[in-house]
Amino acid sequence: FAFFTHVVRQQPSDMSSDPAAEKELEALKRLPANKACANCGVVAKYGHGAVCFAYATFVCHTCKSAHQSYSHLCKSVSMSFWSKAEVAKLRNGGNARARSVWQAKLGEGTALPESPSLQQAKEFVKACYIEKRWYDESAKAAAPKPAKTLAPPSPAPVKAAASPAPEAPRPRRVAAPR
């Protein structure tokens, strides 16, 4: 049997959020319209800790779970990595815009109750976003303007001095199956 050795190169990855993006995300989270869950309306004093990225909304954890049950991409505000582009999508969305479009035709008595059960939240998400039961395409034009954050994004930091290049990761040897 011949023994073969293959070299697998490990790619360095930048696994950190942009500090300016995090600062703006925190400001967006604390806007009055975004403190109330986009679906059930439950208010979080400091803003919700989850984002339904598919609809650019801040949601409570129950509604986040309901969105995830339909494979909508959701991210944690504090536990996920954020780019400037992702935060820009939230800036151009937000809960007020989403409600005015996706829940434009929502009648009284059909709204999701505050602090719903997971099953109630799932049924609401299905009706609202999958079936588009209360969706109004024409409301997009009249939707509230994109959110203005409390603090504008800070400019990119200036590099003080050139530091030596980081050492490249060493290749890992992997034996081929016999």
Side-chain angles (χ1 to χ4, degrees):
F1 291 96
F3 181 79
F4 296 97
T5 305
H6 298 279
V7 176
V8 178
R9 296 190 187 271
Q10 294 177 334
Q11 297 295 322
S13 59
D14 179 28
M15 295 301 292
S16 61
S17 288
D18 182 304
E22 283 186 358
K23 185 176 181 180
E24 185 175 6
L25 177 65
E26 189 63 30
L28 285 168
K29 175 179 105 164
R30 292 174 180 251
L31 290 174
N34 293 337
K35 285 183 179 182
C37 174
N39 298 331
C40 69
V42 68
V43 175
K45 185 175 181 180
Y46 300 108
H48 290 286
V51 169
C52 179
F53 207 68
Y55 303 100
T57 56
F58 291 86
V59 293
C60 69
H61 290 289
T62 302
C63 290
K64 176 193 80 135
S65 296
H67 277 285
Q68 287 176 321
S69 71
Y70 292 102
S71 300
H72 298 159
L73 174 62
C74 295
K75 292 181 77 170
S76 167
V77 170
S78 61
M79 301 296 288
S80 298
F81 300 112
W82 292 88
S83 69
K84 287 181 183 177
E86 290 172 322
V87 174
K89 181 177 178 180
L90 288 175
R91 185 183 332 110
N92 293 326
N95 293 5
R97 285 181 67 84
R99 277 190 214 102
S100 69
V101 175
W102 291 96
Q103 299 173 25
K105 299 175 182 176
L106 183 67
E108 246 182 82
T110 54
L112 188 60
E114 280 192 20
S115 302
S117 70
L118 181 57
Q119 187 59 39
Q120 288 173 313
K122 283 180 179 181
E123 290 168 6
F124 182 84
V125 167
K126 181 181 179 186
C128 187
Y129 301 100
I130 307 299
E131 297 171 356
K132 296 183 177 183
R133 194 174 296 170
W134 307 294
Y135 182 80
D136 185 1
E137 181 73 31
S138 65
K140 280 185 176 180
K145 299 288 185 223
K148 293 192 190 251
T149 57
L150 304 174
S154 57
V158 179
K159 292 183 180 176
S163 59
E167 191 175 309
R170 294 182 182 205
R172 197 168 46 112
R173 295 189 182 270
V174 179
R178 293 183 184 196

